[in-house]
Amino acid sequence: MLWSLFWLFFKVGCMAFGGGYAIIPIIEREIIAKGWMQHEAFTNIVAVSAMAPGSVANNMAIFIGYQQAGILGVLTSVLGIILPPLIILLLVAAFLYRVYKNGVVEAIFYGLKPVVTGLIVYAALRFAISNQIIGTYSLDSLGLFLIFALSFLALLKFRLHPVSILLCSGIIGVIFYG
């Protein structure tokens, strides 16, 4: 089990361009395929990982590692997810230090931006569909969509702090769904 956790999160760590949100679909596919948890449990882990301090990917590794193998699972999963970026960053930093003004390098990074954005949007849509925020029509889904829309508006237009939006959304959830 420990080797499986390490290898899973090592692979994820190698593909973690764009941050934790961009690799949620990759982690989800692997976790569900291995039968380690059902989709609903995974969705809950994503939600808690997003609210907890720190990187979403690291938080997910902690939760999944603990669920599968306790404290040793946590250590193994975190080592697996942290090691690839550490190695890659050291190599890239050494390389970029020499060629950071090269036009090809700048073009590569410019070209990665829409891909990372697409991965994040894909993860958000999958999350919204799996939680019946979009894709179904009921009073509950309308309420969830309204909470989403107001939260989005609060972030973009009023520039409220994400923590205040999370707290308000949680309170609204308790009031209407509790």
Side-chain angles (χ1 to χ4, degrees):
M1 175 56 71
L2 293 177
W3 174 250
S4 294
L5 283 168
F6 175 82
W7 184 240
L8 166 68
F9 285 106
F10 186 86
K11 291 187 298 185
V12 167
C14 289
M15 299 179 275
F17 295 98
Y21 291 102
I23 60 171
I24 289 172
I26 297 167
I27 296 173
E28 177 185 26
R29 182 174 293 127
E30 292 284 330
I31 295 300
I32 303 296
K34 290 182 182 308
W36 288 353
M37 68 182 60
Q38 298 298 318
H39 183 73
E40 184 177 319
F42 180 80
T43 300
N44 292 337
I45 285 178
V46 172
V48 172
S49 296
M51 290 188 296
S55 159
V56 170
N58 291 346
N59 291 343
M60 290 176 69
I62 290 167
F63 282 116
I64 293 166
Y66 187 78
Q67 181 196 38
Q68 296 301 311
I71 296 298
L72 283 177
V74 169
L75 297 173
T76 303
S77 298
V78 169
L79 181 64
I81 203 160
I82 288 175
L83 200 55
L86 177 64
I87 294 168
I88 291 168
L89 274 173
L90 289 173
L91 295 173
V92 168
F95 173 74
L96 286 180
Y97 182 74
R98 294 189 174 110
V99 296
Y100 73 97
K101 289 292 185 183
N102 183 305
V104 173
V105 173
E106 288 178 352
I108 288 169
F109 282 112
Y110 189 75
L112 285 173
K113 289 178 184 179
V115 172
V116 170
T117 303
L119 287 169
I120 293 169
V121 168
Y122 173 77
L125 287 174
R126 290 277 311 220
F127 193 75
I129 290 168
S130 70
N131 286 293
Q132 290 89 36
I133 295 171
I134 58 174
T136 62
Y137 301 101
S138 70
L139 193 54
D140 281 349
S141 65
L142 178 63
L144 292 173
F145 183 77
L146 189 59
I147 292 171
F148 159 76
L150 291 173
S151 299
F152 196 68
L153 180 69
L155 281 168
L156 290 179
K157 182 161 177 69
F158 301 111
R159 305 221 183 266
L160 295 179
H161 195 279
V163 172
S164 66
I165 294 170
L166 285 169
L167 290 173
C168 289
S169 296
I171 292 168
I172 292 169
V174 168
I175 292 169
F176 289 105
Y177 301 104

